[in-house]
């Protein structure tokens, strides 16, 4: 295909399809957002592990208090009741250190962690889906620009040919070899060609905008795109087997099934007893009845066993709900398998159609070139009309435009097949990038006990 994109704006550095996809892999906002989403999901694992980690807190109090005390002091010599009265003000203050540790929670923490981990794996598969979509869309955007630029150039060349045809027809009309009708037909064809050029330029601008959105930069001098057929399995049946095992849509669904199974266990743990132990140290001043100068220090170690008997039925509803959600995600896994299988068959069909069409259109182009030469020679001898020449020229133009379109379809279809089996990735395409590894962030935060900064320092 034509590698020139903008006449008069050609740059020395040529962009290849692989370099464009490498830029998209690094800079595409959809892909970066999906990576951030995986990092968000990673934090669910340490949150789940917190259920069996110790908890500690300090509570401090301080205030001002006034009071009065009346203490009975017996009776006087005359038999009257006597008392000792006193008024005071104090500043009660104190602090309590409490530490607790869950010893048994019915397996809730373990199930919650496994559920979180399965959701992390599902998020990574979803990230792979986004990566595939970005790379496939990037390849389509690249080839669309090439296609539309080539068609724009064909339309330009066609105008030059039709202008020459109009001059020849006008000269022949001047000597009486043709009629005014022939001139009008040549003029009409030229006007239509100019209109088609305007449409081609508008379509090219649209494709350039889509390229900029996906790749992240304006297209400059694009090299011809190449099919990735050498990376595809040898047969469609082999591709289906690979897709059912490796496609990120399938693996994401299976990880969601694992997460739903753990969610059932987490819900069932609400019916299990829990056992915990706690320690508490308390130091208070002026706190005993608010009397100034008093001081209290206490320490305690307490074990607590909680056996749920009936909590209103909410836990039973949660268990039933979790089981229904498990059934739902299992059905979704079956749906994903069927969808992937259909996608492989469909994409292979498009690829084979594009290959066959390209062969046919190349034969049509060769025949149209021969026909045009013959029609022009016959027109000079008076055996053909101007309209015959214009029709032959249009047939050749249509064949060349169809070749351009089919070349684009062939490359895009090959990327679609690679994506349908789940192997469209920066690693498979051997892009010049540092491969993003989502497990690095997960390993950094999974067992982290303290800290508010993210691993990258934010």
């Amino acid at each position: 295909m034509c590698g020139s994109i903008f006449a008069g704006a050609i740059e020395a550095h040529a962009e290849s399809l692989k370099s464009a996809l490498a830029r998209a892999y690094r800079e595409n906002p959809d892909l970066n957002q999906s990576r951030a989403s995986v990092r968000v999901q990673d934090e669910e694992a340490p949150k789940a592990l917190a259920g069996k980690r110790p908890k500690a807190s300090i509570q401090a109090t301080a205030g001002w208090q006034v009071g009065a005390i009346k203490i009975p002091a017996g009776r006087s010599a005359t038999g009257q009741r006597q008392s000792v009265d006193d008024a005071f003000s104090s500043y009660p203050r104190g602090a309590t250190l409490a530490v607790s540790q869950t010893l048994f929670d019915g397996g809730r923490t373990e199930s919650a962690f496994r559920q979180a981990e399965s959701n992390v794996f599902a998020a990574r598969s979803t990230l792979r889906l986004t990566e595939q979509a970005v790379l496939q869309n990037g390849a389509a955007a690249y080839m669309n620009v090439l296609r539309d630029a080539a068609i724009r150039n064909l339309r330009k060349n066609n105008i030059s040919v039709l202008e020459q045809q109009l001059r020849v027809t006008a000269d022949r009309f001047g000597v009486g070899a043709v009629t005014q009708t022939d001139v009008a037909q040549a003029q009409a064809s030229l006007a239509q060609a100019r209109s088609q050029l305007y449409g081609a330029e508008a379509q090219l601008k649209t494709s350039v905008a889509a390229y900029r959105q996906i790749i992240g930069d304006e297209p400059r001098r694009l090299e011809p795109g190449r099919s990735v057929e050498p990376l595809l399995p040898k047969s469609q049946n082999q591709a289906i087997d690979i897709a059912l095992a490796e496609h990120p849509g399938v693996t994401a669904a299976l990880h969601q099934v694992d997460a739903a199974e753990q969610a059932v266990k987490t819900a069932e743990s609400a019916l299990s007893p829990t056992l915990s132990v706690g320690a508490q140290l308390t130091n208070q001043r002026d706190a005993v009845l608010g009397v100034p100068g008093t001081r209290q220090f206490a320490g305690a170690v307490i074990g607590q066993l909680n056996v749920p008997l009936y909590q209103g039925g909410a836990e039973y509803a949660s268990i039933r709900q979790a089981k229904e959600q498990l059934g739902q995600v299992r059905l979704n896994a079956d749906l994903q398998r069927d969808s992937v299988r259909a996608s492989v068959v469909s994409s292979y069909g498009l690829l084979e159609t594009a290959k066959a069409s390209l062969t046919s259109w190349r034969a049509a182009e060769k025949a149209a070139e021969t026909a045009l030469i013959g029609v022009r020679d016959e027109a000079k001898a008076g055996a053909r009309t101007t309209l015959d020449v214009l029709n032959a020229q249009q047939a050749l133009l249509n064949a060349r435009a169809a070749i351009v379109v089919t070349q684009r379809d062939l490359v895009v279809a090959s990327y679609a097949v690679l994506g349908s089996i789940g192997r469209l990735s920066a690693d498979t395409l051997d892009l010049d990038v540092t491969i993003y590894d989502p497990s690095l962030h997960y390993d950094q935060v999974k067992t982290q006990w303290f800290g508010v900064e993210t691993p990258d320092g934010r």
Side-chain angles (χ1 to χ4, degrees):
M1 293 182 64
C2 178
S4 176
I5 300 304
F6 300 107
I10 305 300
E11 300 209 1
H13 176 70
E15 179 93 279
S16 68
L17 178 52
K18 289 182 65 173
S19 64
L21 294 181
R23 180 181 291 109
Y25 182 82
R26 292 189 299 266
E27 302 175 8
N28 184 270
D30 289 340
L31 188 51
N32 286 328
Q33 180 184 6
S34 185
R35 290 166 180 160
S37 178
V38 175
R39 293 195 294 271
V40 171
Q41 186 63 47
D42 289 345
E43 296 293 350
E44 292 297 325
K47 287 170 62 177
L49 289 174
K52 293 290 284 289
R53 289 174 178 170
K55 298 173 178 61
S57 64
I58 295 178
Q59 180 180 0
T61 60
W64 175 71
Q65 181 177 341
V66 294
I69 297 179
K70 185 174 183 178
I71 303 175
R75 296 177 179 273
S76 65
T78 59
Q80 293 181 339
R81 294 180 179 275
Q82 293 182 329
S83 62
V84 177
D85 298 332
D86 189 18
F88 63 87
S89 64
S90 63
Y91 300 89
R93 56 203 180 276
T96 300
L97 169 64
V99 180
S100 64
Q101 172 66 57
T102 300
L103 302 178
F104 179 75
D105 61 359
R108 180 181 183 87
T109 297
E110 290 79 4
S111 297
F113 172 72
R114 287 193 288 268
Q115 179 185 357
E117 197 166 44
S118 294
N119 284 328
V120 168
F121 296 150
R124 292 181 189 176
S125 294
T126 302
L127 172 60
R128 284 280 295 109
L129 281 175
T130 304
E131 178 184 342
Q132 289 205 150
V134 168
L135 294 177
Q136 186 172 335
N137 292 337
Y142 185 99
M143 297 306 299
N144 287 348
V145 173
L146 278 178
R147 175 199 63 193
D148 296 337
I151 290 178
R152 191 271 314 265
N153 291 338
L154 286 174
R155 299 295 183 193
K156 272 188 174 183
N157 294 335
N158 187 47
I159 289 177
S160 299
V161 172
L162 291 177
E163 287 174 342
Q164 178 64 26
Q165 181 65 40
L166 178 58
R167 286 192 294 269
V168 172
T169 303
D171 292 342
R172 298 185 67 196
F173 173 72
V175 298
V178 296
T179 66
Q180 182 65 43
T181 301
D182 294 287
V183 177
Q185 289 172 340
Q187 291 173 336
S189 294
L190 179 58
Q192 183 179 4
R194 286 172 175 161
S195 176
Q196 291 172 341
L197 174 61
Y198 300 148
E201 289 176 340
Q203 180 60 46
L204 177 58
K205 290 180 181 178
T206 300
S207 296
V208 167
Y211 181 100
R212 173 66 177 81
Q213 180 182 8
I214 298 171
I215 303 301
D217 197 6
E218 296 291 333
R220 292 176 173 81
R221 187 164 64 92
L222 304 189
E223 296 179 351
R226 295 183 179 180
S227 169
V228 290
E229 289 181 79
L231 302 176
L232 301 180
K234 296 180 179 180
S235 68
Q236 178 176 298
N237 290 335
Q238 184 181 0
I240 291 175
D241 293 339
I242 294 173
L244 294 178
E246 298 182 12
H247 193 279
V250 173
T251 58
L254 294 178
H255 287 308
Q256 289 168 354
V257 171
D258 294 339
E261 290 175 346
Q262 296 303 322
V264 172
K265 295 180 180 180
T266 301
E268 290 174 341
S269 67
L271 302 178
S272 300
T274 59
L275 176 64
S276 62
V277 62
Q280 184 172 307
L281 293 175
T282 302
N283 185 20
Q284 295 180 323
R285 294 176 180 270
D286 296 356
V288 181
L289 300 177
V291 177
T294 60
R295 181 174 180 177
Q296 181 181 14
F297 179 82
V301 177
I302 301 173
Q304 182 176 355
L305 175 66
N306 180 32
V307 181
L309 299 178
Y310 183 72
Q311 313 298 319
E315 66 275 26
Y316 300 108
S318 296
I319 294 172
R320 296 193 302 270
Q321 183 183 48
K323 290 180 177 179
E324 293 293 348
Q325 290 172 338
L326 174 59
Q328 179 185 6
V329 295
R330 282 175 174 165
L331 292 173
N332 179 63
D334 294 336
L335 178 63
Q336 289 299 321
R337 292 189 186 96
D338 292 340
S339 176
V340 165
R341 182 183 290 105
S343 178
V344 171
V345 175
S346 175
S347 58
Y348 261 96
L350 292 175
L351 178 60
E352 294 302 321
T353 298
K355 291 165 67 176
S357 296
L358 184 58
T359 301
S360 298
W361 279 117
R362 281 174 173 163
E365 179 193 24
K366 185 176 181 180
E369 287 176 344
T370 303
L372 178 59
I373 294 173
V375 169
R376 283 175 175 170
D377 292 341
E378 292 172 3
K380 292 178 182 179
R384 292 281 187 169
T385 65
T386 300
L387 182 59
D388 293 329
V389 176
L390 295 174
N391 288 339
Q393 172 67 26
Q394 186 63 43
L396 178 58
L397 174 65
N398 291 341
R400 288 174 174 171
I403 289 175
V404 170
V405 172
T406 308
Q407 286 176 327
R408 174 266 178 198
D409 293 344
L410 175 60
V411 175
V412 173
S414 69
Y415 276 84
V417 174
L418 193 59
S420 70
I421 65 176
R423 289 186 173 179
L424 180 55
S425 66
D427 189 27
T428 303
L429 297 177
D430 193 25
L431 301 183
D432 185 18
V433 295
T434 300
I435 302 300
Y436 180 81
D437 185 1
S439 65
L440 295 178
H441 179 269
Y442 179 71
D443 293 339
Q444 289 172 329
V445 302
K446 179 177 66 174
T447 57
Q448 189 169 347
W449 284 47
F450 304 98
V452 296
E453 287 188 353
T454 60
D456 60 1
R458 285 175 291 141

